Amino acid sequence: MSLAAETNESLARMSDVLIYSSMAVYTLAFFAHIAEWVLGSRSKVGRTAAALTATDTTAAAPAVTVQVKQAGGAAVLDRPKVVTRSAAGTRDVPDGPGAAGGTVQGDLYGRIAVSLTALAFLVEATGVVFRALAVQRAPWGNMYEFSTTFSTVAVGAYLGFLVARKNVRWLGLPLVTTVLLDLGMAVTWLKTPSDQLVPALDSYWLWIHVSTAIFCGAVFYLGAVATLLYLFRDSYENKLATGGNPGSFARSVMERLPSAASLDKFSYRVNAAIFPLWTFTIIAGAIWAGDAWGRYWGWDAKEVWSFITWVGYAAYLHARATAGWKGRKAAYIALIAFACFLFNYYGVNIFVTSKHSYAGV
């Protein structure tokens, strides 16, 4: 074995070690997120916010949020800030205090969870870089590499929102759980030895087309989680508005989340922002297909499901602008569109024979 081959093999082994190490750190972050939810409680902040808005169930009454400041290690109430979050004709409900419930102990575990998630992200990202150095190409030439890169980008997008001071810490637990499942599948069933690609894939379009597809999928995932939580939170708010009495577990979880209006707004904004990039992804793939196979579109399974995903998100954006289709109906369309993306991601590569299958799982 030549020196170059030995070096590449060592880099590949180091990449594997880093991926497994990131899984260990993600596991610690998972337990820290669990501790944030379990040990954090519905504090005075949450109770005060609920009391202030107990009678404000119409759109004419603005919602009230309560902020927490730390003074000498104790949580104290700041002056309530009045904000209107929802459109005319819908409920104005304040955002919950977050997974920590506004408590100092819960917030401590939440900060530990975010720190561990950031550390795991750095370790995993380094593993992806080592994989790229080992194969001397873009580190997403097969399903194993795509999965590890996808989870890295998803966590990076989440941390980017946090750095931008967006209220998304509630995404931490479902994100880390999904990342662990994704990496578990990658190292168990999708593991592929590092190797060079077939000539058709050896193109600069691999960097352009696949990288944008990964980024779009990661952001679509964040939007899908927000959409799913919106459906739960909206049902909870509807139950309260009609005089229902949710159980203690539902209250503990739902009242810490952002309002249904805030979740709906977040999911719409991220899906709308990333949709043009998904359009570019399909166009870039068509151009690459023209270079590699001599035709821009051949109704290959991957091409078809990419287009179906595009139609799904286009229908969602159209529904958001159509009277009678906003809210829950549009949310269902968004989840169907993301399910199409997942099938395109896993189903087509694993279960369907197509021109995109020769890269191996």
Side-chain angles (χ1 to χ4, degrees):
M1 182 181 294
S2 66
L3 178 60
E6 290 181 355
T7 301
N8 292 339
E9 186 66 26
S10 299
L11 290 171
R13 286 196 299 268
M14 181 59 68
S15 173
D16 293 340
V17 170
L18 289 169
I19 295 299
Y20 280 108
S21 299
S22 71
M23 292 178 65
V25 183
Y26 278 128
T27 301
L28 295 177
F30 170 79
F31 286 116
H33 278 296
I34 290 290
E36 179 186 15
W37 279 95
V38 173
L39 300 179
S41 64
R42 215 177 148 235
S43 65
K44 184 178 180 182
V45 176
R47 291 196 301 273
T48 304
L52 287 171
T53 58
T55 58
D56 292 343
T57 57
T58 65
V64 179
T65 60
V66 181
Q67 298 175 332
V68 179
K69 287 187 175 180
Q70 299 296 325
V76 297
L77 291 178
D78 193 9
R79 176 178 300 177
K81 179 182 178 182
V82 179
V83 293
T84 300
R85 294 193 177 276
S86 23
T90 59
R91 296 181 306 272
D92 278 316
V93 180
D95 290 339
T103 62
V104 175
Q105 184 181 30
D107 183 67
L108 174 62
Y109 281 101
R111 292 177 183 275
I112 292 174
V114 171
S115 299
L116 289 171
T117 302
L119 176 60
F121 163 76
L122 293 175
V123 174
E124 185 183 12
T126 305
V128 170
V129 171
F130 271 71
R131 179 78 173 193
L133 294 174
V135 296
Q136 298 180 3
R137 56 168 171 77
W140 42 74
N142 51 57
M143 282 293 291
Y144 169 75
E145 295 173 358
F146 191 100
S147 296
T148 54
T149 306
F150 177 85
S151 59
T152 303
V153 175
V155 176
Y158 164 71
L159 295 174
F161 279 117
L162 289 178
V163 170
R165 298 186 179 277
K166 301 299 181 181
N167 177 27
V168 296
R169 206 164 86 181
W170 44 270
L171 271 170
L173 181 57
L175 173 66
V176 170
T177 303
T178 307
V179 167
L180 283 172
L181 291 174
D182 178 64
L183 291 178
M185 292 180 60
V187 300
T188 304
W189 294 304
L190 304 177
K191 186 67 180 295
T192 304
S194 58
D195 199 1
Q196 296 304 309
L197 300 176
V198 296
L201 290 181
D202 189 12
S203 168
Y204 61 88
W205 284 106
L206 178 67
W207 290 92
I208 300 172
H209 171 63
V210 183
S211 63
T212 55
I214 292 173
F215 181 74
C216 288
V219 179
F220 279 149
Y221 164 77
L222 298 182
V225 173
T227 301
L228 186 62
L229 292 177
Y230 156 74
L231 292 174
F232 285 113
R233 172 77 189 204
D234 185 62
S235 296
Y236 175 78
E237 291 179 8
N238 283 333
K239 191 170 186 178
L240 290 180
T242 55
N245 185 27
S248 58
F249 178 78
R251 285 184 176 275
S252 176
V253 174
M254 290 295 121
E255 292 188 3
R256 302 192 209 181
L257 292 174
S259 66
S262 294
L263 290 169
D264 185 46
K265 184 185 297 183
F266 175 81
S267 61
Y268 169 68
R269 285 179 173 178
V270 297
N271 286 330
I274 211 66
F275 179 74
L277 190 59
W278 181 250
T279 304
F280 168 78
T281 301
I282 296 177
I283 295 173
I287 296 174
W288 188 10
D291 290 343
W293 301 321
R295 90 298 187 273
Y296 294 103
W297 193 267
W299 297 104
D300 182 70
K302 180 72 72 172
E303 296 168 344
V304 169
W305 280 97
S306 295
F307 179 67
I308 291 174
T309 302
W310 184 91
V311 171
Y313 279 105
Y316 164 72
L317 296 177
H318 179 71
R320 292 278 311 197
T322 304
W325 279 91
K326 296 180 181 180
R328 298 183 68 86
K329 291 181 180 179
Y332 292 137
I333 297 175
L335 291 179
I336 292 173
F338 184 69
C340 293
F341 174 85
L342 285 181
F343 182 78
N344 192 32
Y345 176 17
Y346 286 110
V348 172
N349 285 66
I350 297 175
F351 303 112
V352 180
T353 300
S354 71
K355 282 183 172 295
H356 292 76
S357 301
Y358 59 64
V361 295

